[in-house]
């Protein structure tokens, strides 16, 4: 069986030769992207998509070539750019400029901006030369700056376009209920998001934290949502405050087994019974009895497992997450039952502990926290070893 390196002919190459081969492959891809853009542009002129009963190449490419809609739009747009900017087109044909760079140049060639350029007597051949030189010689980010500078000077006194019109967020749910996020924010919106996430990232840096930057940002986003949901200030959804909802059979909830796919969440994802028990530690539980035909027969009253008075007492006692090495504040924390209420644990101050979302998960996956008689909290790993923080440094003797 051949390795992937053998399959692409990488074996036997020195590091320098391997890097040269990569650069050549990128250039070849650029040339093929240029050819594709020109072919699609020719098909546009001839309305070839009508041959297959479609209106445009933007609709033909996703349906017949299985391309994402965004990729199809970029190819169509690039084909139009190559008509207006022949120098950039020639560099693209030669493999010196990428399709991504051509797509950036396309933002300067919208019908409105072409009209503005004509009204101001802008010579497109000069713009073509400047953009081509920048695309060949400068980094991608610098090339973007050059294009933005041109757009800013094109109509400096005109009304600034609404930057929020470009905001978008796509949530793609996978078969296992996990979620992928993809989006675009304007500069101000992006700054707000970064400021909010960074506040959580910097405040949650427990001892021994080995999470990557991406993991810390992901946890920060979830914590931001937790904080917003817990505040009770979000707009209502159909007369109900937004909340995380889980539907699970009583037998699965009470069974200590993992119980995969036992709980159904409000937006359609499924979770294990173990995960549902973790959520139930600090939640409102409603009892609904169904008949054999699926119709509800009895609706029990909601039971708040930790009311606001108990939560306040736990907050005052613990002051934040009690997991060793964590300094998460009270408003990030959930009330955890040391002995789960499904196992007979009482909803009392003595049976409660504040844990942040991350460490609440850990405790439901084998870690253990315990309050000592002197009021100190100790934490054990699943293998029984205790997590300890480094002792404070001793002051030097006088």
């Amino acid at each position: 069986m051949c390795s992937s390196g053998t399959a692409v002919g990488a074996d036997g190459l020195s590091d320098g030769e391997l890097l040269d081969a990569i650069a050549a492959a990128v250039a070849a891809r650029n040339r093929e992207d240029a050819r594709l853009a020109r072919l699609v542009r020719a098909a546009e002129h001839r309305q070839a998509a009508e041959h297959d009963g479609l209106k445009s190449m933007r609709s033909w490419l996703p349906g017949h070539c299985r391309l994402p809609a965004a990729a199809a739009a970029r190819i169509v747009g690039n084909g139009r750019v190559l008509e207006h900017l022949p120098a950039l087109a020639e560099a693209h044909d030669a493999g010196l400029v990428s399709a991504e760079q051509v797509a950036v140049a396309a933002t300067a060639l919208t019908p409105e901006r072409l009209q503005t350029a004509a009204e101001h007597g802008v010579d497109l051949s000069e713009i073509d030369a400047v953009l081509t030189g920048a695309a060949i010689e400068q980094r991608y980010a610098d090339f973007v700056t050059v294009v933005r500078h041109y757009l800013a000077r094109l109509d400096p006194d005109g009304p600034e376009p609404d930057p929020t019109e470009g905001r978008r967020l796509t949530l793609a749910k996978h078969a296992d209920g996990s979620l992928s996020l993809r989006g675009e924010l304007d500069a101000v919106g992006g700054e707000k998001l970064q400021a909010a996430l960074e506040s959580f990232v910097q405040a949650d840096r427990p001892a021994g934290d080995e999470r990557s930057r991406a993991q810390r940002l992901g946890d920060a986003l979830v914590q931001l949502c937790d904080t917003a949901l817990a505040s009770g200030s979000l707009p209502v959804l159909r007369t109900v405050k937004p909340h995380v909802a889980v539907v699970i059979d009583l037998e699965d909830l009470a069974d200590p087994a993992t119980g995969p796919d036992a709980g159904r969440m409000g937006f359609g994802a499924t979770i294990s019974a173990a995960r549902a028990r973790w959520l139930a530690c600090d939640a409102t539980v409603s009892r609904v009895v169904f008949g054999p035909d699926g119709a509800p027969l009895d609706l029990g009253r909601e039971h708040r497992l930790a009311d606001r008075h108990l939560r306040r007492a736990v907050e005052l006692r613990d002051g934040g997450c009690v997991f060793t090495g964590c300094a998460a504040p009270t408003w990030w924390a959930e009330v955890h039952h040391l002995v789960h209420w499904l196992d007979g644990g009482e909803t009392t101050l003595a049976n409660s502990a504040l844990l942040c979302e991350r460490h609440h998960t850990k405790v439901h996956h084998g870690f253990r926290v315990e309050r000592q008689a002197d009021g100190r909290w100790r934490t054990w790993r699943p293998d029984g070893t205790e997590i300890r923080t480094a002792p404070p440094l001793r002051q030097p003797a006088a």
Side-chain angles (χ1 to χ4, degrees):
M1 181 176 179
C2 295
S3 67
S4 59
T6 302
V8 298
D11 286 355
L13 297 180
S14 67
D15 288 350
E17 292 170 334
L18 182 59
L19 295 177
D20 287 342
I22 292 171
V26 171
R29 187 193 70 169
N30 292 344
R31 290 192 292 270
E32 283 301 309
D33 284 339
R35 179 172 179 269
L36 173 61
R38 289 186 181 277
L39 290 172
V40 169
R41 185 57 176 162
E44 269 202 307
H45 282 308
R46 293 165 54 172
Q47 297 182 324
E50 295 282 359
H51 179 71
D52 286 336
L54 293 173
K55 184 178 180 180
S56 68
M57 292 305 295
R58 286 188 65 168
S59 58
W60 186 89
L61 285 167
H64 287 261
C65 299
R66 294 174 292 280
L67 292 178
R74 188 186 72 180
I75 294 169
V76 171
N78 283 4
R80 295 171 182 170
V81 171
L82 300 185
E83 283 189 347
H84 289 285
L85 303 178
L88 187 67
E90 184 178 350
H92 194 23
D93 290 336
L96 302 175
V97 172
S98 69
E100 291 78 9
Q101 290 171 302
V102 176
V104 172
T107 62
L109 297 179
T110 62
E112 297 79 6
R113 284 169 175 158
L114 285 174
Q115 181 179 347
T116 302
E119 293 171 352
H120 286 73
V122 174
D123 186 349
L124 276 185
S125 64
E126 294 183 5
I127 300 303
D128 186 16
V130 171
L131 294 184
T132 302
I136 293 174
E137 299 172 3
Q138 299 186 25
R139 296 181 306 168
Y140 176 82
D142 295 331
F143 174 67
V144 173
T145 301
V146 170
V147 175
R148 289 175 59 88
H149 182 67
Y150 163 70
L151 294 177
R153 297 191 63 182
L154 182 61
D155 188 16
D157 299 323
E160 182 177 8
D162 182 357
T164 64
E165 290 182 356
R167 291 180 184 172
R168 61 183 61 86
L169 177 64
T170 302
L171 305 178
K173 181 171 289 186
H174 306 295
D176 62 355
S178 61
L179 203 66
S180 293
L181 293 82
R182 182 187 179 98
E184 300 288 340
L185 293 177
D186 62 290
V188 175
E191 189 74 12
K192 291 179 180 178
L193 179 62
Q194 290 179 85
L197 294 182
E198 196 63 29
S199 69
F200 287 104
V201 168
Q202 296 302 324
D204 182 22
R205 303 180 69 178
D209 188 1
E210 297 180 352
R211 290 174 296 166
S212 66
R213 171 71 176 177
Q215 288 174 317
R216 290 198 298 270
L217 284 172
D219 286 343
L221 182 59
V222 173
Q223 188 60 62
L224 179 64
C225 295
D226 271 346
T227 303
L229 289 168
S231 70
S233 60
L234 293 176
V236 298
L237 292 172
R238 295 185 181 273
T239 74
V240 178
K241 288 185 180 295
H243 60 283
V244 175
V246 182
V247 177
I248 185 171
D249 290 340
L250 178 60
E251 292 79 5
D252 290 321
L253 188 62
D255 191 335
T258 301
D261 295 335
R264 186 178 73 256
M265 305 193 75
F267 285 93
T270 57
I271 60 174
S272 67
R275 190 69 169 170
R277 286 192 289 274
W278 168 72
L279 287 171
C281 258
D282 186 16
T284 295
V285 177
S286 299
R287 175 176 57 85
V288 182
V289 180
F290 289 91
D293 59 354
L297 301 179
D298 178 56
L299 304 178
R301 288 191 297 176
E302 290 184 345
H303 174 55
R304 183 67 180 178
L305 295 175
D307 63 22
R308 61 188 179 89
H309 302 292
L310 176 58
R311 179 180 176 86
R312 181 57 176 159
V314 178
E315 288 179 351
L316 291 173
R317 184 195 66 189
D318 295 343
C321 178
V322 301
F323 199 96
T324 299
C326 184
T330 57
W331 53 90
W332 290 11
E334 301 160 348
V335 178
H336 166 69
H337 281 64
L338 298 172
V339 178
H340 204 289
W341 57 271
L342 288 169
D343 299 322
E346 297 181 350
T347 305
T348 62
L349 180 61
N351 194 42
S352 300
L354 278 187
L355 291 170
C356 68
E357 191 261 354
R358 179 166 178 256
H359 290 133
H360 200 171
T361 303
K362 292 292 187 184
V363 168
H364 279 267
H365 285 79
F367 287 77
R368 179 169 57 90
V369 294
E370 184 178 292
R371 190 167 186 267
Q372 306 302 297
D374 60 3
R376 293 183 302 151
W377 286 93
R378 297 171 67 182
T379 307
W380 285 268
R381 302 179 182 88
D383 63 6
T385 58
E386 185 177 359
I387 299 176
R388 297 177 181 272
T389 57
L393 296 175
R394 293 181 178 274
Q395 293 292 332

